[in-house]
Amino acid sequence: MSDVTKVYLITGFLGSGKTTLLNRIINRFPKEKKLTLLVNEFGEIGVDGTLVEGDDIDMMEISKGSIFCVCVKTDFIKGLYELNCKVKPDVLLIESTGVANPSDLKKDIKLPIFNDRFHFMEQFCVIDAVHFLDAYDVYASVEKQIASSTVFIINKVDLASLEAIENTKNVIRQFHPGPSFFETTYADIPLESFF
């Protein structure tokens, strides 16, 4: 058991491939390390939690709102506190809702009650290459996900035109001078460079 928990956040709009990426990470994660998942859902019953693979993984699910919203922030902080005191994982993977604004996460995990256990490593933004531009024009949260992310997984490139992919990259470049892009199908990125 480590004294530090590395935190990775997976964001992206609904249907972009977040759960697919999460399952890829679970399947390739070293067995000798302790992995905990926090899956955030909006409905009364979480759907993504049932889609996540892996039997011996600690999983916490918070539904009824975004963990980044005041409406369930207390549940999120309590969950992190329990992880800090009891579970003490090596890695915490957080999959946020598709409409989340993740701007506060880095501040939340640095609260004094966590004793500097949580260290933010990376924020992956999974992007549906076909539908991104439409979502970007409609939902303000998409802009915030882009602004706070560091790695951009442009997913479903087999279904998108080259023009749509390039336009997507141009939108992201407005927020980042040198963004890290992966063009993928089924969110297949070289995970060994991150974990």
Side-chain angles (χ1 to χ4, degrees):
M1 210 172 348
S2 165
D3 293 335
V4 168
T5 296
K6 295 179 178 178
V7 179
Y8 295 85
L9 175 62
I10 300 173
T11 65
F13 202 67
L14 303 168
S16 61
K18 295 184 303 294
T19 303
T20 301
L21 175 63
L22 190 62
N23 283 324
R24 283 193 179 283
I25 295 168
I26 291 168
N27 290 332
R28 296 184 193 167
F29 197 78
K31 300 298 177 209
E32 68 278 3
K33 299 280 187 184
K34 189 167 193 167
L35 173 66
T36 297
L37 306 179
L38 191 158
V39 179
N40 186 208
E41 283 294 324
F42 248 126
E44 293 285 332
I45 299 170
V47 176
D48 280 354
T50 61
L51 301 175
V52 172
E53 301 166 0
D55 298 327
D56 53 351
I57 294 169
D58 290 312
M59 189 164 105
M60 181 170 57
E61 189 172 44
I62 297 177
S63 53
K64 301 181 188 168
S66 169
I67 57 175
F68 306 115
C69 173
V70 170
C71 55
V72 293
K73 178 77 81 169
T74 305
D75 291 344
F76 177 57
I77 300 299
K78 282 181 186 173
L80 287 179
Y81 186 73
E82 187 174 320
L83 289 177
N84 178 43
C85 295
K86 297 178 184 174
V87 181
K88 301 181 180 183
D90 295 300
V91 170
L92 171 62
L93 273 179
I94 302 172
E95 181 193 3
S96 68
T97 68
V99 293
N101 171 4
S103 311
D104 286 345
L105 176 68
K106 294 171 192 165
K107 183 176 69 179
D108 291 341
I109 64 174
K110 288 298 178 192
L111 289 172
I113 60 170
F114 302 137
N115 302 317
D116 201 33
R117 164 161 282 285
F118 299 108
H119 290 237
F120 188 82
M121 302 302 293
E122 203 74 73
Q123 180 174 327
F124 301 99
C125 185
V126 185
I127 293 168
D128 179 336
V130 178
H131 299 106
F132 169 77
L133 295 171
D134 292 334
Y136 176 76
D137 289 337
V138 174
Y139 298 97
S141 58
V142 174
E143 187 174 301
K144 291 184 166 90
Q145 289 175 10
I146 293 168
S148 60
S149 292
T150 45
V151 175
F152 299 91
I153 301 165
I154 301 176
N155 200 27
K156 304 180 184 181
V157 293
D158 56 326
L159 305 174
S161 69
L162 292 175
E163 181 183 12
I165 295 167
E166 195 53 42
N167 288 341
T168 295
K169 287 180 177 181
N170 288 334
V171 167
I172 293 166
R173 286 185 187 110
Q174 294 172 25
F175 297 89
H176 297 279
S180 178
F181 291 122
F182 292 96
E183 293 183 30
T184 68
T185 56
Y186 300 101
D188 193 6
I189 64 169
L191 294 172
E192 59 281 354
S193 54
F194 298 103
F195 296 93

